[in-house]
Amino acid sequence: MEALLHNPIADMYGPKFLLLYGSVISLTLLVCWKLVQDPTKNQPLPLIPSELDIYKIAYLRSGKSEVVKVVILNLIQRNFLQITKEGISQTSTHGSLSELQLIEHQVFSSYSTSPKVKSIESIANKIQLDCDRYERQLHDEQLLYAHKWQVRNRQVGLIAAAIIFSLGFYKLLIALAKGHYNVGFLIIMGILSIMWIFSLVNQRPRLSHRGKAYLEQLQNTFAQLKNKAKNSSFLSVFNYNLLVAIFGVEALAGSEYDSYYKVFYPAISRTSSQRSNTSNGSCSSTTSCSGGSSCSGGSSCGGGCGGGCGGCGGS
């Protein structure tokens, strides 16, 4: 007991202990920050394959909703689906369904010849198995942030927090036992540092550092597709699909497939809030036009919703 009450730490004068405590906190935070670094940070990037999987790229960029958008565009270009004023529907002159991959067939079957409002998310749920396959592949290539990395980060954070808490709490008890109550700085330093640790270790980006760098590499390599699409230069079906897979539907604005872009970004609702909603995969225009004040009866709704809100039509 005597050793607990009287030792170099317990007997250390307050300001000197705060200086020591600050040094311990700084060192602990530095070590913690180093240990929770993304393990792929210094890894070389995978080579861009000669045969790109556009659906896998779309999944890498932003998940299964983006895959659906690429599949729909692909089917529109191949005359399986069409955009009408009422929405997206199957064409009556489409080719043989045997030409379609399973994932394309699942999206195609979500629509009928009679357009009906339907969200992208509901269609995306039908291709979950395909997206699970992409998820596994991307994890194998360490392009997505692994769950086990975050588990390790939390363990590191708990150890770091325990070191800071133990030292600070011990000195707090000693100070109170000796009748010293000016412990505000001690408490603030401990709380703030532990909060910073938990904030750091609980961050979990969807893409790993390698994944972000690889996506940037793809965007830099194929950046010319954006200009070609907007300048009405000839682009193949594959290149249009690749364009949307890498950059999103926004890249189609002003292109031959501007009408498809307006399905998700109708002119009347191109506000920042609705951009956020549509980027989440649901067709925001479906909700705003089905009864929302922004579209129903609005003078500009006819143009905006005719080509836009009905665009998510399906069976």
Side-chain angles (χ1 to χ4, degrees):
M1 188 66 179
E2 184 65 18
L4 287 175
L5 293 175
H6 296 287
N7 58 60
I9 298 296
D11 294 333
M12 188 175 291
Y13 187 54
K16 287 186 177 179
F17 177 79
L18 289 180
L19 184 62
L20 172 66
Y21 193 44
S23 300
V24 171
I25 288 175
S26 299
L27 181 61
T28 304
L29 296 184
L30 178 62
V31 172
C32 181
W33 178 73
K34 285 285 187 182
L35 291 178
V36 301
Q37 292 290 306
D38 189 326
T40 67
K41 188 172 183 179
N42 298 317
Q43 289 184 3
L45 296 181
L47 297 175
I48 297 177
S50 56
E51 295 185 5
L52 290 166
D53 186 335
I54 52 175
Y55 301 146
K56 181 180 173 182
I57 292 173
Y59 189 82
L60 169 69
R61 185 174 60 79
S62 199
K64 60 184 181 182
S65 294
E66 297 304 306
V67 177
V68 173
K69 294 174 184 177
V70 177
V71 174
I72 293 174
L73 176 64
N74 189 6
L75 295 175
I76 290 173
Q77 294 180 94
R78 295 161 62 187
N79 194 40
F80 281 89
L81 295 178
Q82 61 184 342
I83 301 175
T84 68
K85 289 184 178 180
E86 291 76 26
I88 294 177
S89 62
Q90 295 179 5
T91 63
S92 59
T93 58
H94 62 75
S96 171
L97 297 184
S98 62
E99 300 175 18
L100 302 180
Q101 299 178 31
L102 178 59
I103 188 172
E104 295 166 348
H105 191 279
Q106 289 167 323
V107 174
F108 173 79
S109 63
S110 299
Y111 292 92
S112 68
T113 54
S114 301
K116 184 180 178 181
V117 170
K118 197 166 189 177
S119 73
I120 289 294
E121 282 296 339
S122 65
I123 302 174
N125 291 333
K126 295 184 177 181
I127 61 169
Q128 185 64 53
L129 291 178
D130 295 278
C131 292
D132 288 345
R133 176 166 51 85
Y134 295 136
E135 177 101 4
R136 289 192 296 273
Q137 292 175 358
L138 293 171
H139 270 301
D140 290 342
E141 298 171 40
Q142 296 192 317
L143 298 178
L144 298 179
Y145 201 89
H147 175 68
K148 63 181 180 182
W149 299 342
Q150 187 167 28
V151 172
R152 182 209 57 189
N153 291 346
R154 286 175 176 168
Q155 292 172 342
V156 171
L158 286 174
I159 294 172
I163 292 172
I164 294 173
F165 174 80
S166 299
L167 182 57
F169 189 65
Y170 169 68
K171 186 62 177 179
L172 175 64
L173 292 180
I174 293 297
L176 295 178
K178 294 182 177 180
H180 301 301
Y181 300 102
N182 54 337
V183 292
F185 281 116
L186 177 66
I187 295 174
I188 292 174
M189 289 171 67
I191 291 177
L192 291 181
S193 58
I194 291 174
M195 288 176 62
W196 185 88
I197 289 173
F198 284 121
S199 173
L200 175 67
V201 300
N202 282 321
Q203 292 177 1
R204 188 190 175 189
R206 181 173 172 273
L207 301 185
S208 67
H209 185 277
R210 193 180 196 215
K212 293 176 185 174
Y214 181 63
L215 183 59
E216 290 176 1
Q217 183 184 49
L218 287 172
Q219 291 174 335
N220 292 331
T221 302
F222 297 100
Q224 77 281 4
L225 291 179
K226 298 173 73 175
N227 292 329
K228 287 183 178 180
K230 290 182 179 178
N231 294 330
S232 300
S233 300
F234 173 77
L235 285 180
S236 65
V237 170
F238 177 82
N239 280 337
Y240 268 116
N241 295 334
L242 181 61
L243 176 69
V244 174
I246 295 177
F247 297 102
V249 174
E250 298 94 321
L252 293 177
S255 73
E256 180 182 355
Y257 291 95
D258 186 72
S259 58
Y260 187 57
Y261 159 74
K262 290 177 179 175
V263 166
F264 301 95
Y265 300 101
I268 192 172
S269 59
R270 277 176 222 163
T271 63
S272 57
S273 61
Q274 287 181 320
R275 281 171 186 270
S276 174
N277 290 336
T278 51
S279 65
N280 288 333
S282 61
C283 184
S284 64
S285 50
T286 60
T287 56
S288 62
C289 290
S290 58
S293 58
S294 63
C295 290
S296 59
S299 59
S300 58
C301 182
C305 294
C309 296
C312 289
S315 58

